[in-house]
Amino acid sequence: MTRTDVTIVTTDGSASGTLHVPEGEGPWPGVLVYPDAGGARETFREMADRLAAMGYVALLPDIYYREGDWKPFDMATVFSDPDERARLMGMVHGLTQELVIRDAGDYLTFLLARDEVTGDAVGTTGYCRGGWTSLTVAGSYPERVAAAASFHGGGLAAADDPTSPHLLAPSMRATVYVAGAENDASFDQEQFDRLEEALTSAGVTHTLLFYPAAHGFAVPDNPTHDPDAEKRHWEALAELYGTALSA
């Protein structure tokens, strides 16, 4: 596996990122990795390394590239530190749906143009806010996303939210896998049912379930990380991508 720093030309400038490529002879299917609200950092680079070891070319972009050289967050304390929480939420809210969709087009173009990548569609996976993004991208670029996963994602089927990903279900062609966290107000049973109905009505092949773990379960540097749930999430990604992505 090799990890390379890359620069992705975007409509609004350029985004740094890392490209994670399997060992051996390619090409391989591509996967676009969306981090949680804390953004791209070593934990997610290691997760992208693991995707490469599984046989996928993984792209991890700096979703907050418009912030310049921003200071990384300490996920163990960010939500208990008022100033850091405010800084984090300001960056999250500044990355609007419009910007997310625009950036995604550039990320997808970059990834699919790589010689190491095969096929004309990729997989996406996202965590926390990145889960919202993963489904949003699947609904916005249906011809270029063949598999979309969300782990402890929030706001996936929020009522009265015009940016809620469930509203994009009629456009989705991807196979969708959503694993929510138990007792998570950001994605509760009401949202689960609403998303289930939207995906079913749209004829989207999907799996929806709750893992018996807290929000943040899949990300090792989160204080709520759950090793069993993380392992289960890797198994789910292997099955999803192994079925839905071109070899």
Side-chain angles (χ1 to χ4, degrees):
M1 186 281 306
T2 59
R3 182 197 295 186
T4 305
D5 292 333
V6 295
T7 299
I8 307 152
V9 176
T10 71
T11 305
D12 297 331
S14 61
S16 62
T18 49
L19 190 73
H20 307 251
V21 180
E23 296 290 345
E25 294 294 327
W28 303 270
V31 174
L32 180 54
V33 181
Y34 282 105
D36 59 22
R41 54 191 188 275
E42 183 59 22
T43 288
F44 276 99
R45 288 188 281 272
E46 291 172 359
M47 293 170 73
D49 285 344
R50 183 158 178 171
L51 282 168
M54 292 164 58
Y56 302 97
V57 178
L59 176 64
L60 173 66
D62 176 11
I63 59 172
Y64 296 133
Y65 70 89
R66 292 178 182 84
E67 300 288 336
D69 188 20
W70 55 277
K71 177 185 174 183
F73 295 98
D74 181 347
M75 299 309 292
T77 60
V78 64
F79 291 106
S80 60
D81 181 323
D83 291 339
E84 283 294 86
R85 181 186 178 96
R87 182 169 72 95
L88 175 68
M89 297 314 296
M91 290 168 65
V92 169
H93 292 145
L95 193 58
T96 64
Q97 183 196 49
E98 178 184 0
L99 296 180
V100 163
I101 293 172
R102 190 155 74 219
D103 288 344
D106 297 323
Y107 300 155
L108 290 167
T109 295
F110 176 91
L111 184 56
L112 286 165
R114 299 290 303 194
D115 290 340
E116 303 95 333
V117 175
T118 187
D120 55 9
V122 305
T124 61
T125 185
Y127 305 81
C128 181
R129 179 65 171 180
W132 176 95
T133 304
S134 180
L135 297 191
T136 296
V137 173
S140 301
Y141 297 96
E143 295 183 355
R144 293 200 273 173
V145 179
S150 168
F151 297 95
H152 46 84
L156 306 183
D160 303 321
D161 179 1
T163 71
S164 182
H166 80 285
L167 299 175
L168 298 172
S171 300
M172 294 180 187
R173 297 184 186 176
T175 301
V176 171
Y177 184 95
V178 172
E182 284 189 340
N183 303 315
D184 184 354
S186 73
F187 184 67
D188 56 15
Q189 186 65 52
E190 180 180 338
Q191 287 197 49
F192 182 103
D193 294 341
R194 189 177 294 117
L195 181 59
E196 173 72 42
E197 180 180 359
L199 294 174
T200 300
S201 296
V204 176
T205 301
H206 64 279
T207 300
L208 264 64
L209 69 169
F210 286 112
Y211 284 8
H215 182 91
F217 60 74
V219 182
D221 70 351
N222 281 344
T224 51
H225 171 244
D226 185 301
D228 291 336
E230 183 200 359
K231 179 175 183 290
R232 184 178 178 183
H233 124 275
W234 286 117
E235 293 168 348
L237 281 179
E239 182 176 354
L240 173 68
Y241 295 155
T243 301
L245 297 184
S246 300

